[in-house]
Amino acid sequence: IHASQTQPNSDDAADYEKRGYLGSKFLFCHYIAATDSDREAMARTKTSLSFSTHSEFRLGENGDPRVALMKARAAGVSVSLSSDATSIAPPNMFENMRFTWNMCIPWKGTPSESLPYLGFYETIEMATINGAKALGIADVTGSLTPGKRADLIMVSLLAPNLSVGSDPANLLVNSAAPGNVDLVVVDGRILKRDGRLTSI
């Protein structure tokens, strides 16, 4: 469901829970205007949140996307990253991870002051396994686990922009770009090799 990006909040997760809507098969998108009780209901029922970081900043006029995301994480809501309209931002998950990581810090004198920082590994989880969980396919894909589909994206560290550090998680979130993707395998099929598409 496309939930409120602005006030007043026309969506009520607690009410949805009473009606039996919430759960692992229900997905909120955006939901900047969520209240504490909304987030508690989502965490309690394992209802995921799809967060389009660029879009939330452009369209969440009456709320603070930074605080909304940090409060969702603190409440225990599973958050996945998504792209909204390409007229607002490119569908580039590397840029999405970088923007989200950079903005997700507590600011003194704001409601985010006591909330936890976002780390590199959690950011990558938002871009991978949490998306699979949100779509109900985490048992099939979303992580490198024996028995799951062979869905892989391999990034080459040979490019100059990825030679600036040694922590792979930091490099993926802060430095990687689509041009660094060297190999793509989807369900065992190689769709990109040596940086070139193989099926088009």
Side-chain angles (χ1 to χ4, degrees):
I1 185 172
H2 187 289
S4 301
Q5 285 178 296
T6 60
Q7 297 289 354
N9 180 8
S10 59
D11 298 291
D12 186 339
D15 180 55
Y16 290 171
E17 182 182 15
K18 292 175 188 173
R19 295 167 184 257
Y21 295 159
L22 300 191
S24 61
K25 294 185 178 180
F26 192 98
L27 176 62
F28 276 110
C29 300
H30 311 302
Y31 215 3
I32 300 301
T35 64
D36 287 342
S37 66
D38 292 328
R39 288 182 280 266
E40 289 166 7
M42 293 171 67
R44 185 167 51 246
T45 58
K46 295 183 170 35
T47 301
S48 294
L49 171 66
S50 176
F51 199 83
S52 300
T53 312
H54 289 87
S55 175
E56 316 310 2
F57 271 86
R58 183 65 184 91
L59 301 176
E61 298 168 350
N62 297 317
D64 185 338
R66 197 170 42 82
V67 171
L69 176 57
M70 294 177 75
K71 282 191 172 184
R73 292 173 51 242
V77 175
S78 177
V79 179
S80 62
L81 298 180
S82 58
S83 293
D84 198 355
T86 55
S87 57
I88 297 172
N92 177 343
M93 191 55 74
F94 292 108
E95 182 177 328
N96 202 343
M97 286 194 295
R98 184 159 40 253
F99 183 22
T100 304
W101 180 83
N102 273 285
M103 70 96 179
C104 209
I105 58 171
W107 285 16
K108 289 183 179 179
T110 75
S112 69
E113 185 171 9
S114 62
L115 299 174
Y117 285 83
L118 177 63
F120 296 126
Y121 286 96
E122 185 182 351
T123 305
I124 294 169
E125 287 176 348
M126 288 180 176
T128 55
I129 187 63
N130 287 6
K133 289 176 182 176
L135 296 175
I137 56 173
D139 59 334
V140 176
T141 188
S143 64
L144 302 179
T145 306
K148 290 190 179 182
R149 285 192 344 186
D151 291 340
L152 309 169
I153 296 175
M154 299 188 75
V155 174
S156 171
L157 297 178
L158 299 178
N161 63 307
L162 293 178
S163 63
V164 294
S166 58
D167 179 3
N170 184 338
L171 289 172
L172 277 177
V173 172
N174 275 332
S175 303
N180 299 127
V181 175
D182 185 67
L183 177 74
V184 175
V185 181
V186 177
D187 199 15
R189 293 178 56 228
I190 295 175
L191 302 185
K192 188 175 187 180
R193 188 200 298 270
D194 298 326
R196 296 178 180 275
L197 296 175
T198 61
S199 61
I200 299 176

